[in-house]
Amino acid sequence: MSEFTKEDYGYMRRALDLAAKARGFTSPNPMVGAVIVKDGRIIAEGYHQKCGEGHAEVNAFKNATESVEGATMYVTLEPCSHTGKTPPCADKIIEKKIARVVVGAMDPNPLVSGRGVEKLKKAGISVSCGLLSDESVKLNEIFMKYIVNKIPFVVYKSATTLDGKIATCNGESQWITGTESRSQVHMLRHYLSGIMVGINTVLADNPMLNCRTEGCTSPVRIVVDSNLKIPVECNLVQTADKYKTVVATLQSSTGIKASMLKQMGVQVITVAEKDGRVDLNDLMQKLGVMGIDSILLEGGGTLAFSAFSQKIVDKVIYYIAPKIFGGTSAKTSVEGAGFGKIADCVKLKNIETRFVGEDVCITAYVDK
């Protein structure tokens, strides 16, 4: 028999809804929601709204309409037990004399990792863990990877026709999908801290790669450019003083071209080489050190194949339009050399599908 009641599930779902409100604003912290219940009534709610500001538990205490002594707190992630930019939430829970704490998922942060729950139990507080843990882990899939491995969670996104084309045989690509799908992509740019393309995309499309949704933040723009071909007159370089822009190259970061880019505000980093191109795993390590916890991979077919073959991709999102382009020469979403054996191909799991306007959106995770 489950230790959780129907009411417990309802309160935790409310806490998860609260946590999701901060999507795109808490990086590199997790999204966390908290609900305080007393005598069958919600008397306080809160969520972590922005990195460096109050955690969910603290905000819930601030919003309490009456004394929280003897109440139950539902929190989507284990309360922290260490002092970071804010004091430990576990201490505040003890101080406020909460009687019971229901936790969604345990915090994999080595600084917490069970210590928060243990501290609460030692203080005599009843603690129940694991309620809707899968939902809490999925909500914080970026944090769950980055806090342990210190490398970004990588999402590959592509917009294709039903026959897998990302452009016509003449190179036309705007627009394959509808306005609803394109709006969602801009929200992805807000949710993730970095966006990455290859130099061929820059040369062909001269993109901006910013988020054009009001009230949202733009990601760090990352260009994989082995031979430093990026033109100084392109949009990315010309707006590098406004939007942080990183160019990853095999060339020296102190050469003439690199110096010109730096003067324009571009950060040039030299990475290791793999098969004549940028080693994407080395790049992920360097971006992780820079505090970039997640990346939206929007490059063309060449970069996509490199990303899949070097196994840096965690999640894929395909927007598929009800169109057929055809054409042997029309580009596809993943090109490169390809996988010669079916056994070596990229395998996906946890498939979800939904309609976005007239388009179909397929979300899946790479089976590693």
Side-chain angles (χ1 to χ4, degrees), residues 205-217:
D205 300 337
N206 193 21
M208 279 288 291
L209 303 180
N210 61 332
C211 178
R212 294 186 283 277
T213 301
E214 187 177 352
C216 294
T217 56

Side-chain angles (χ1 to χ4, degrees), residues 56-257:
E57 300 93 326
V58 173
N59 287 336
F61 288 136
K62 288 180 179 178
N63 296 330
T65 56
E66 60 185 85
S67 170
V68 300
E69 183 175 347
T72 296
M73 171 176 278
Y74 297 83
V75 60
T76 58
L77 195 67
E78 178 186 7
C80 63
S81 55
H82 67 289
T83 300
K85 293 183 178 179
T86 59
C89 290
D91 291 354
K92 180 65 72 171
I93 292 171
I94 295 168
E95 175 192 322
K96 293 290 186 177
K97 298 182 179 179
I98 291 290
R100 179 189 180 216
V101 176
V102 181
V103 176
M106 300 299 286
D107 191 337
N109 185 344
L111 296 175
V112 184
S113 194
R115 293 181 181 87
V117 164
E118 189 62 27
K119 181 178 280 191
L120 296 176
K121 287 181 176 179
K122 285 183 177 179
I125 296 173
S126 172
V127 183
S128 301
C129 301
L131 180 58
L132 298 178
S133 61
D134 288 347
E135 287 87 339
S136 184
V137 168
K138 185 175 181 180
L139 179 69
N140 285 302
E141 58 192 9
I142 292 170
F143 172 79
M144 295 292 180
K145 178 183 179 181
Y146 182 74
I147 198 64
V148 175
N149 301 306
K150 298 302 181 185
I151 56 175
F153 185 90
V154 178
V155 180
Y156 170 70
K157 187 279 302 179
S158 186
T160 75
T161 60
L162 193 59
D163 57 337
K165 306 297 185 181
I166 60 171
T168 67
C169 57
N170 293 327
E172 289 185 29
S173 60
Q174 296 183 342
W175 295 103
I176 293 175
T177 53
T179 56
E180 296 93 339
S181 294
R182 298 201 296 276
S183 294
Q184 285 195 4
V185 169
H186 277 283
M187 291 309 296
L188 283 174
R189 293 181 180 185
H190 165 63
Y191 296 154
L192 304 175
S193 60
I195 182 170
M196 188 166 78
V197 298
I199 183 59
N200 290 335
T201 296
V202 176
L203 296 175
D205 300 337
N206 193 21
M208 279 288 291
L209 303 180
N210 61 332
C211 178
R212 294 186 283 277
T213 301
E214 187 177 352
C216 294
T217 56
S218 288
V220 176
R221 305 177 303 181
I222 305 154
V223 181
V224 179
D225 184 7
S226 298
N227 298 308
L228 217 54
K229 294 180 179 178
I230 188 168
V232 294
E233 64 272 13
C234 74
N235 286 331
L236 294 179
V237 176
Q238 291 296 316
T239 57
D241 59 335
K242 184 176 182 181
Y243 304 106
K244 185 172 182 178
T245 305
V246 176
V247 174
T249 183
L250 301 179
Q251 307 302 310
S252 170
S253 61
T254 59
I256 296 175
K257 180 67 174 291

Side-chain angles (χ1 to χ4, degrees), residues 58 84 149 204 287 298 323:
V58 173
N149 301 306
L287 294 176
E298 280 201 12
K323 299 171 184 174

